[in-house]
Amino acid sequence: MVRQTHDEAPSQDVVDLLVEQHAMIRELFARVTGADARNRRATFEELARLLAIHETAEEEVVHPLARRLLPGGDGVVRDRLDEEEKAKEMLARLDEMDAESPEFLSLLDELRMAVLTHAQYEERYEFLYLRQQGSPDQLARLVGAVRAAEGRGADPASPRDGERHGKPAGRSGVGAVRPHEGRGQEGSDERDVTHARVRCSSPHAG
Ligand SMILES: [Fe+2]
Ligand SMILES: [Fe+2]
């Protein structure tokens, strides 16, 4: 039956979703760079929001799973968190800058290169292995966990952000752009992994 076929063969798994977001991020960088000075701030805020929800989902759902499933997962994830932290610091600086200034465009280009390189590393060193090690069912179910994490990353008033930072979001309105967030999540990572494993338990799960 059509419904059974659809259920058994989900159209998108967590890797598809995150790779698709990498393409959207790449496109948004091009749009911010190409925007005229008056529209640059608004387009940058769109980019900042997407980066915030994307990285929140990776830090809460994907990196913890990669840490457990990948050979040398601790080191791989540590490198990705370092890259994310540096990107957040640049994003926070941009958030406070005049978007019409030449300095803004210069730092934006630095951020673009850092983020796109980081995305390539994720695809090469994490996502590829998750595809190999995770069952199709497990990877498809993680889409829901990613969507839930993205909802928390997009909401600057969420308890998650308020508890962690105790201060308002930046000009972009995105609390999750604050630096050092990835480092502060080690404890919650473990809880989220446990939840993800429970939700995604299957005969094939590793
Ligand atoms: Fe990332
Ligand atoms: Fe990513």
Side-chain angles (χ1 to χ4, degrees):
M1 293 175 65
V2 172
R3 182 172 178 178
Q4 284 179 323
T5 301
H6 188 73
D7 288 346
E8 289 167 4
S11 59
Q12 189 181 51
D13 68 20
V14 71
V15 173
D16 295 326
L17 175 63
L18 294 173
V19 169
E20 184 178 283
Q21 289 182 349
H22 284 174
M24 291 167 64
I25 287 166
R26 194 178 308 117
E27 186 182 319
L28 265 172
F29 268 110
R31 281 179 51 201
V32 180
T33 303
D36 60 53
R38 287 187 178 185
N39 293 321
R40 194 171 299 138
R41 166 63 55 187
T43 316
F44 167 73
E45 288 177 359
E46 197 179 335
L47 170 67
R49 276 190 288 274
L50 177 57
L51 282 172
I53 64 170
H54 177 81
E55 300 302 351
T56 297
E58 287 179 339
E59 288 169 8
E60 291 198 6
V61 178
V62 177
H63 295 331
L65 190 64
R67 183 180 281 134
R68 295 183 72 100
L69 291 183
L70 271 53
D74 276 341
V76 171
V77 169
R78 193 181 314 120
D79 288 347
R80 299 295 81 76
L81 288 174
D82 282 345
E83 292 158 6
E84 288 172 6
E85 186 171 323
K86 288 186 179 110
K88 284 174 188 171
E89 288 167 357
M90 281 191 267
L91 201 53
R93 282 163 57 201
L94 282 164
D95 204 34
E96 299 300 325
M97 288 172 72
D98 175 4
E100 298 186 27
S101 68
E103 292 79 14
F104 180 92
L105 283 177
S106 174
L107 184 57
L108 180 74
D109 195 52
E110 195 180 328
L111 176 67
R112 181 184 65 81
M113 288 190 286
V115 166
L116 297 186
T117 300
H118 166 71
Q120 283 182 346
Y121 288 164
E122 284 178 335
E123 292 178 18
R124 186 180 308 161
Y125 300 121
E126 277 189 276
F127 298 176
L128 193 64
Y129 287 97
L130 288 179
R131 264 272 163 72
Q132 292 171 351
Q133 309 254 347
S135 72
D137 181 59
Q138 184 180 29
L139 296 179
R141 285 171 186 268
L142 281 175
V143 169
V146 162
R147 292 296 190 198
E150 287 179 348
R152 291 190 291 277
D155 181 5
S158 70
R160 175 180 176 276
D161 287 327
E163 286 169 7
R164 183 171 307 130
H165 305 299
K167 54 188 175 184
R171 283 168 64 176
S172 68
V174 181
V177 302
R178 294 295 173 196
H180 310 303
E181 178 165 292
R183 287 297 184 204
Q185 287 189 71
E186 296 301 316
S188 62
D189 279 354
E190 292 306 311
R191 288 194 299 276
D192 287 324
V193 166
T194 305
H195 293 158
R197 286 170 68 84
V198 169
R199 280 196 301 270
C200 300
S201 60
S202 77
H204 306 292

